[in-house]
């Protein structure tokens, strides 16, 4: 009789311990199935030259599970999005990309863990090179001119 009660207690404990539950420990891999990943804190762009741009981002790394990554989508002009254009490790915080003059570029940066994605941070960058205005030209000779 005591053995039956003991086995019944073991089965009951096992049943309730393994039941579907909400994960409350961020170190538990299942936690991120129940909770949203926070997006990156900052996502900025800076022109390096007429044909290159640097993207920079920062996060509070205490808010993310081990093994997360960054995913970058890209779109140029009216073209389709290139999903997962680049993927970066947790130690990366910047990326240099090439671009064309007079091109609009769209970027979306996500934090990824397994199949989970954070909300996207977006940048729209217009690489418009303005035409010069109010130029005066003095022609010195057939091969030489001075712009004023």
């Amino acid at each position: 009789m005591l053995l039956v009660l003991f086995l019944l207690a073991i089965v009951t404990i096992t049943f309730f311990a393994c039941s579907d539950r909400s994960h409350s420990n961020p170190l538990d891999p299942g936690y991120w199935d129940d909770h949203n990943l926070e997006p990156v804190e900052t996502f900025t762009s800076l022109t390096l030259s007429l044909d290159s741009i640097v993207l920079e981002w920062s996060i509070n790394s205490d808010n993310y599970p081990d093994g997360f990554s960054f995913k970058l989508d890209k779109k140029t002009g009216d073209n389709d999005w290139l999903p997962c254009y680049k993927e970066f490790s947790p130690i990366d915080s910047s990326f240099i990309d090439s671009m064309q003059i007079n091109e609009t570029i769209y970027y979306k940066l996500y934090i990824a863990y397994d199949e989970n994605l954070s909300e996207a941070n977006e940048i729209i960058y217009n690489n418009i090179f303005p035409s010069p205005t109010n130029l005066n030209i003095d022609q010195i000779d057939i091969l030489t001119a001075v712009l004023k």
Side-chain angles (χ1 to χ4, degrees):
M1 177 72 172
L2 194 55
L3 181 60
V4 171
L5 286 176
F6 178 73
L7 290 174
L8 184 60
I10 296 292
V11 169
T12 303
I13 291 171
T14 303
F15 175 76
F16 286 110
C18 296
S19 65
D20 193 20
R21 61 182 166 76
S22 176
H23 299 274
S24 60
N25 181 354
L27 299 177
D28 180 355
Y31 175 86
W32 299 103
D33 295 334
D34 298 337
H35 296 81
N36 293 329
L37 293 168
E38 293 180 24
V40 295
E41 291 180 11
T42 62
F43 185 37
T44 59
S45 63
L46 178 68
T47 304
L48 291 180
S49 66
L50 288 176
D51 62 352
S52 63
I53 182 174
V54 63
L55 303 173
E56 298 178 319
W57 57 88
S58 66
I59 61 164
N60 178 353
S61 60
D62 295 337
N63 296 337
Y64 304 102
D66 291 337
F68 78 92
S69 63
F70 300 101
K71 291 191 179 187
L72 183 69
D73 296 350
K74 180 180 179 180
K75 176 182 173 181
T76 55
D78 293 329
N79 297 320
D80 292 336
W81 281 97
L82 297 171
C84 202
Y85 171 65
K86 296 286 181 182
E87 187 167 0
F88 306 98
S89 75
I91 61 171
D92 294 321
S93 61
S94 66
F95 170 65
I96 297 174
D97 200 11
S98 62
M99 59 185 173
Q100 302 294 317
I101 295 175
N102 295 330
E103 177 178 65
T104 301
I105 306 170
Y106 306 84
Y107 293 100
K108 290 182 183 178
L109 183 67
Y110 304 88
I111 293 183
Y113 179 71
D114 287 336
E115 299 297 318
N116 302 318
L117 292 177
S118 70
E119 289 183 28
N121 285 60
E122 296 185 36
I123 287 179
I124 300 173
Y125 188 83
N126 292 308
N127 191 26
I128 306 301
F129 186 73
S131 301
T133 58
N134 300 325
L135 282 181
N136 294 316
I137 301 173
D138 285 343
Q139 187 167 358
I140 306 298
D141 58 42
I142 195 157
L143 299 175
T144 309
V146 175
L147 299 177
K148 295 182 183 180

